[in-house]
Amino acid sequence: MSYFKEGEYALIRFEEKKFLKKLLKGHALNVRKEVLKFDEVIGKPYGARIGKFEVFKPDLEEIILLGFERKTQIIYPKDAFYIAFKLGIRKTDKVLEFGTGSGALCAVLSQLAGEVWTYESVEEFYKTALKNFRRFGLGANVCSHNEDFGKADVPEEFFDSAFVDVREPWHYLEKVYKSLKNGASVGFLLPTANQVIKLLESIGDMFGDVEVVEILQRHYKTISERFRPEDQMVAHTAYLIFGKKVRG
Amino acid sequence: MSYFKEGEYALIRFEEKKFLKKLLKGHALNVRKEVLKFDEVIGKPYGARIGKFEVFKPDLEEIILLGFERKTQIIYPKDAFYIAFKLGIRKTDKVLEFGTGSGALCAVLSQLAGEVWTYESVEEFYKTALKNFRRFGLGANVCSHNEDFGKADVPEEFFDSAFVDVREPWHYLEKVYKSLKNGASVGFLLPTANQVIKLLESIGDMFGDVEVVEILQRHYKTISERFRPEDQMVAHTAYLIFGKKVRG
Amino acid sequence: MSYFKEGEYALIRFEEKKFLKKLLKGHALNVRKEVLKFDEVIGKPYGARIGKFEVFKPDLEEIILLGFERKTQIIYPKDAFYIAFKLGIRKTDKVLEFGTGSGALCAVLSQLAGEVWTYESVEEFYKTALKNFRRFGLGANVCSHNEDFGKADVPEEFFDSAFVDVREPWHYLEKVYKSLKNGASVGFLLPTANQVIKLLESIGDMFGDVEVVEILQRHYKTISERFRPEDQMVAHTAYLIFGKKVRG
Amino acid sequence: MSYFKEGEYALIRFEEKKFLKKLLKGHALNVRKEVLKFDEVIGKPYGARIGKFEVFKPDLEEIILLGFERKTQIIYPKDAFYIAFKLGIRKTDKVLEFGTGSGALCAVLSQLAGEVWTYESVEEFYKTALKNFRRFGLGANVCSHNEDFGKADVPEEFFDSAFVDVREPWHYLEKVYKSLKNGASVGFLLPTANQVIKLLESIGDMFGDVEVVEILQRHYKTISERFRPEDQMVAHTAYLIFGKKVRG
């Protein structure tokens, strides 16, 4: 089971470059005049070194960053990983998410949760997320709805946690509140300080233990004789806001 | 099931302060002349607002930072969350970890994995981790060994991923390599640049797709009229190094 | 001239600790059971090593952080150094500043400028800044006013640049604008995102080339065998906003 | 004197774009189908708004980043500004620098110092720096040497501070030490952790009050309704190391 099969996605490293490729017979990857024939990869063990190439099973961060088709701004893995644990999800939990977007967070949540219910009103995004899941064998426990969460018929006191990724989350606070069990965690992702300020104005009555946090990721060059950070980094993706349902 | 029971741990917020307390009958929390009697909390729903207090089920970050007894430097949740996903752990995976330390990472890994085998040579640390797990109902799928990984009898080509948190990981590279399945992910946590440089010198033959990364967490004050970052932050915990087993 | 004189301030290092002390006869510094008698320092060259102590002339950052009396939140050297150059000050320039606060920025500006005019409405702050300047021999070219800039009689088209450090700078934009020469630079320091948003709403008509920037400073431990960042850092002091006077 | 003259450099803003251009008669700038004729700029006041363009005198950061010809990696203004003040330079000080590189730091040092002596062994770099100074009217008090500092005839106990920007500064420590007055400050700029570790191994005997620091600069978008950091930032330029000459 740790051998490459035809049709599987492979993470191919060539020096400092990374590629995510589907292993189709007769296909190949050309980099700087070197060729990796996929016929030679199929049947090889994960982690095979072939000439100057190394071929791996991709990790979840690599799948999302290199493999996901994006119709929206995706939630970065650095943020998604933090969110998934911060929501305190356990293996039997039911988690609510909207909007689905390209499905990056949903793919991460589904690894921790029992099931994820996700809502996306824009059909194009809904379909893209489904395609991303299918392509990489993710989201088996995801229940996708092509529906506006605000208008959807959602069960009450049902979810163990929720994550909200829409432009104006304050319109949905009451409905999210009702859908959650007592004390359940909720998270929000917002790119601008203006949005955070507006959310903080209204969140306090329904949710407590409120936190706002940014996650920054600093990569380093991996040459042992010249250890130093990369020249450039992602400076901002979004502010993450967390709270827990309170009862007066 | 979302009501506080006697003996359960509660996360108590009072204004900007946070406390993690065991709900024992007859006990209470005093903050700035306000009193929260735990008898009044027991039986209340999670997220109860009682006077100026709010009482929640703690999330995993709060449990680790406020509740774990530490005999060693713990792995911070910001790092542990990233590591757990970056290792690409799936629900049926067997994960190797050493040293266990205070058990913070182990608690996080166990939420994603099928089972975690963890090794710790120092008896005091081994016992502390077990105590931390028991206290917070964590680690049901963790197999703890009070044993030096270097001397332990470890199965070969057995683990789907591994995490190494010891001062001189280069001594263990070969043994870790053998214990892993083809292409399996390995992670390391090292506080100093000298250690990273030394690891990078020797890792390349056995592991590919090497990455070195730092995770930084910037908290914000949550008062909507004065939105701004906190004054102080944790500037450094450790460098995280990841690789995947290669075969020549 | 590079010998310590009585009454001079000295930066004293003892292992990783730093002290800023006035060298008075008969006085001494006690650290971890070691004693440095100031009588032995007076007359020694700058940079003298005396037992386990090292004694230096302090640099400007050390003077501000360790020596300045603070009645207000001070402007950190990391910010002050950036501001001073970003304003494009030349040796013959006239620079306007308000409010003076504890005088930290003013001390820095005065090193680059021909003269600095500074305004502070609160008498206590005004006096503290003057005391700080006198104590460390700074600010010879500073013209201090104990006066509200908004009410002061200020010359028009007179200053080459200006820096504004008050809570509600939008009230003063017009007056600052008038006081500046064509194209002159202006800077602002604001701790909260709400203030920056409010300033950005109104600044655009009068000032162009607007930039908002944060300066972060990450210190490292200096032990060569364990090179790594310090554990804690200052996460936030303020947002810096810069613009230049425009004419329609 | 605050009117644009022919041949002067202008910082031209067009929406979020910035250009540094020499104002030559008959020339123009085309951006997104809009044209700014330089004939219309000449004679206008600094800060003139002409159509959708705004035209300013550039600040020092803009001159270095947009205007300096680079044959080497330049020292970024964020670092140069910090260095210049951290060295504690006063208006009458003599400052030593090597290597000159493209002259970015030298241009900054010269604004604070009485005079700067700079050494550069590579003729091409030496000439580039001189060209950069001439072009922007900088460096009047700079004494440039096209000479290897290690071989140059340098006066002893002469400089008030020094800055070293070469790959292997440990070879020059003794000579720098001798050239400095008692207690004088020295700074170094090194891109990799390996270099810093090597420098820290040897610096301690000659220099005390050693600090290692990184300066990070986070820019924000300036649209008031969507206040947020820029997407990307410079993650690393170099580590800055400072010390002061000690005498045993």
Side-chain angles (χ1 to χ4, degrees), chain B residues 70-120:
Chain B
R70 309 177 186 192
K71 297 288 179 182
T72 60
Q73 177 63 37
I74 63 153
I75 300 185
Y76 269 64
K78 70 176 179 71
D79 294 322
F81 296 170
Y82 185 77
I83 292 164
F85 275 111
K86 187 69 184 168
L87 291 177
I89 301 169
R90 284 164 309 181
K91 282 171 186 165
T92 54
D93 279 5
K94 290 184 194 67
V95 180
L96 166 68
E97 182 208 34
F98 69 95
T100 315
S102 306
L105 178 62
C106 193
V108 172
L109 295 174
S110 79
Q111 303 233 350
L112 272 174
E115 54 189 271
V116 183
W117 293 35
T118 187
Y119 292 82
E120 173 57 63

Side-chain angles (χ1 to χ4, degrees), chain C residues 9-13 18-20 56-68 77 81 108 111 136 138 217 219, chain D residues 82-90 161 183-186 208-211 242-244:
Chain C
Y9 277 86
L11 190 279
I12 305 171
R13 287 285 296 234
K18 279 181 169 200
F19 306 86
L20 191 72
F56 302 98
K57 234 174 70 69
D59 63 42
L60 192 52
E61 190 176 51
E62 292 161 338
I63 287 172
I64 292 171
L65 290 179
L66 302 175
F68 265 38
F81 295 171
V108 173
Q111 303 233 348
F136 296 101
L138 299 166
Q217 197 180 17
H219 288 280
Chain D
Y82 185 77
I83 292 164
F85 276 110
K86 187 68 185 168
L87 291 178
I89 301 169
R90 284 165 307 181
S161 55
S185 288
V186 64
D209 196 17
V210 175
E211 295 183 37
F242 297 95
K244 289 169 187 160

